[in-house]
Amino acid sequence: MNQCDVAIVGAGLAGLETARLLAEAGLDVVLIDRKATLFEKIHTTGIFVRRTFAEFDLPEEGLGDPIRHVVLKSPSGKVLPLEAPRGEFRVGKMGVLYSALLNRAQAAGATWLPMTSFTGLELGPAVVTLHLKRAGDSLSLQARYVVAADGATSRVAPALGLEENTRWIVGAETVRPSALHEAEPHFDLTVDAKLAPGYLAWVVDDGHECHIGVAGAGKKYKPAEQLRNYEKQLMIDEAAPIIERRGGRIPVGGILRNISNEYGLAVGDAAGAVSPLTAGGLDPCLRLSRLAADVIIGRLLNDEPNAYLRYNGEHFRGRFSTRLILRRVLEIARSNALVNLGMWVLRTSLGRRFAAKLFFGRGSFPDVDLKYLAQPGDS
C-alpha cells in the first residue's frame, strides 16, 4: 500500500469522524497515528455538551451519566450553584469512545495504520507524498489529499502551508475513581487567578470517574504544580489511586483563518476549532469534520477542484468575536479581587441568567452546511 485518496494524520475525535465519513462515501482512506492503541496518551477531559450528544451518533458505551448540577466557586469561597432541568453534560470514556469510532471507520473501509509517525511531506502537482516511520522503517504514502488531525501543535498543517495555533492555555488533570457515593453527578468550577490564571480549575464526577484538573495561560504557568496545590485544597490523599494522568496545550485563539488549500486541510484542534472562552473543542471538531468531509468529497468525487475554498476559517471567526473579547478579559484579570467582583456580578439576577446561558445554552460552534457557505468574496 503506497497510494490512497485521503491520508488522515491523527486519530482523535476529528480524525476518526472525518475518516468514517470519507470511507462511507467510497474514498480510499488511510488513518495514521503514532499510538499503538487509542487508549494511550489521552489529553482531553472529554466533556460533551447536550447539543453534541443529542445530535451526533456517539456510542452510548463511551459516555458517562448525564450531569445537570454545576457549581461556580470564587477565591473568597462564594458559590454560584446552577441546575439544569435535564442532563447538560456527559463525560466521554475517551479510550472506549475512540476505539468504537475507529471500528466504525474500519467497517466503512478505512485503513488503520497505528504506531506510525509522520516525519514530513512533499507537495506535488497531483499528489502529496507523506514520509512516515513505522517500527524503525521509513515508508512513503502518496495521497490525493491530506487531513491534518494531529492536534493543537500540528506538524502536518504547517507542512501543508496552513496556519498554526499561537495562543494557548496549558492544563493538567488526574482521573481518579468516583467519590460520589450517593450524591448526584456534578461539575464544580473554581475561578482563581493564582491557581488557574486565564482559565479555571475543575472537578467533574459522573459517578464512574472523577476528573480533577487545572489550566492556565502564561509562559511561567506550571499546571502540574498548581494541580498538586488544587488537590491539597480539596484535601485529596496523595496516596489515593489514580487511574490516569492527562495534560497538554489547548488552543484558545479561535478558529484559524487559513485552514485549507489544494493539498489538504486541518480539522479539530489543528484548525483551532476550540471555543476561546470555554476551551471546549469536542462539539466544534465534530461539526467542522462534517464540513471537511463534504469539501473533500466535492473535490475528489464530484469534480469540484476549488471546493476547499469553502472550508475557510474566515467564515466562522466572526461568530467567535464575543468569546475572543471575553478571553482577553480572562487573561487580563490576574487579580483575585477582580475575580471576586466578577463572581458578585454573576450572583445577581442578570448575572445568573448569563451564567446559565453560558453553561446550558446552545452557543457553540455554528452549524455548518456546505451548500449554504458562500465562496470568499461573494456578496
Side-chain angles (χ1 to χ4, degrees):
M1 180 198 67
N2 60 4
Q3 292 182 326
C4 65
D5 291 322
V6 184
I8 300 174
V9 182
L13 195 63
L16 290 163
E17 179 74 357
T18 307
R20 178 185 65 82
L21 292 170
L22 294 176
E24 287 178 347
L27 289 167
D28 181 10
V29 178
V30 176
L31 180 62
I32 301 159
D33 199 285
R34 61 186 177 181
K35 298 188 290 289
T37 78
L38 297 184
F39 284 85
E40 299 175 26
K41 297 179 181 178
I42 295 169
H43 298 291
T44 177
T45 299
I47 299 174
F48 290 91
V49 296
R50 165 167 286 281
R51 185 182 188 216
T52 314
F53 60 75
E55 296 179 18
F56 288 87
D57 182 22
L58 297 172
E60 184 65 26
E61 68 271 19
L63 297 173
D65 292 344
I67 299 170
R68 62 190 186 93
H69 295 281
V70 172
V71 177
L72 194 61
K73 301 180 180 180
S74 72
S76 65
K78 299 294 184 182
V79 299
L80 174 62
L82 300 168
E83 181 179 340
R86 55 185 180 176
E88 292 291 341
F89 305 100
R90 297 183 75 174
V91 181
K93 302 170 186 176
M94 298 310 292
V96 174
L97 193 63
Y98 288 157
S99 295
L101 295 176
L102 174 60
N103 289 339
R104 290 183 182 180
Q106 288 181 291
T111 299
W112 169 229
L113 207 60
M115 296 183 292
T116 304
S117 299
F118 169 82
T119 59
L121 58 78
E122 296 174 27
L123 304 175
V127 297
V128 178
T129 301
L130 289 90
H131 300 297
L132 310 169
K133 185 155 287 199
R134 192 179 199 210
D137 294 328
S138 295
L139 310 173
S140 292
L141 175 66
Q142 290 188 331
R144 296 170 64 196
Y145 211 67
V146 176
V147 176
D150 52 335
T153 56
S154 173
R155 295 175 60 213
V156 179
L160 289 168
L162 305 178
E163 193 173 349
E164 301 177 67
N165 292 297
T166 57
R167 293 180 61 193
W168 319 92
I169 57 175
V170 185
E173 179 181 76
T174 54
V175 184
R176 298 177 181 271
S178 172
L180 278 187
H181 305 301
E182 299 299 320
E184 283 197 56
H186 63 90
F187 189 3
D188 294 350
L189 295 160
T190 298
V191 187
D192 188 320
K194 301 291 191 293
L195 189 66
Y199 195 58
L200 303 160
W202 64 90
V203 177
V204 55
D205 194 327
D206 65 357
H208 301 277
E209 294 177 340
C210 180
H211 296 250
I212 304 166
V214 299
K219 293 181 180 179
K220 296 183 179 180
Y221 183 67
K222 299 178 180 179
E225 179 181 314
Q226 294 302 335
L227 177 58
R228 288 192 293 271
N229 293 336
Y230 186 43
E231 292 192 324
K232 286 178 183 177
Q233 288 183 23
L234 297 171
M235 294 186 291
I236 292 174
D237 184 355
E238 290 185 359
I242 295 176
I243 298 171
E244 192 176 352
R245 295 185 187 273
R246 298 178 182 177
R249 290 186 175 189
I250 306 166
V252 289
I255 190 166
L256 303 173
R257 292 175 173 84
N258 175 20
I259 55 174
S260 73
N261 59 28
E262 65 268 34
Y263 305 109
L265 54 77
V267 291
D269 284 7
V274 176
S275 169
L277 179 60
T278 66
L282 299 180
D283 186 78
C285 92
L286 286 170
R287 294 184 190 280
L288 200 62
S289 296
R290 280 183 173 177
L291 178 59
D294 281 344
V295 165
I296 296 169
I297 290 166
R299 178 176 173 82
L300 299 185
L301 292 181
N302 299 337
D303 195 26
E304 299 175 34
N306 293 324
Y308 70 88
L309 293 174
R310 301 181 185 274
Y311 190 84
N312 186 321
E314 292 287 4
H315 288 308
F316 306 108
R317 284 190 67 85
R319 308 284 188 94
F320 287 95
S321 57
T322 301
R323 290 177 175 84
L324 285 166
I325 292 169
L326 291 172
R327 158 59 35 201
R328 290 290 189 188
V329 171
L330 276 176
E331 291 172 351
I332 292 169
R334 296 301 179 95
S335 162
N336 275 338
L338 289 175
V339 172
N340 286 326
L341 177 62
M343 177 61 82
W344 178 83
V345 172
L346 287 178
R347 295 176 74 212
T348 65
S349 176
L350 184 61
R352 283 177 178 271
R353 288 200 295 271
F354 172 79
K357 182 177 180 180
L358 177 64
F359 285 107
F360 305 140
R362 287 178 56 83
S364 182
F365 199 78
D367 291 311
V368 292
D369 190 322
L370 183 62
K371 63 178 177 289
Y372 295 126
L373 288 179
Q375 293 278 11
D378 287 355
S379 59

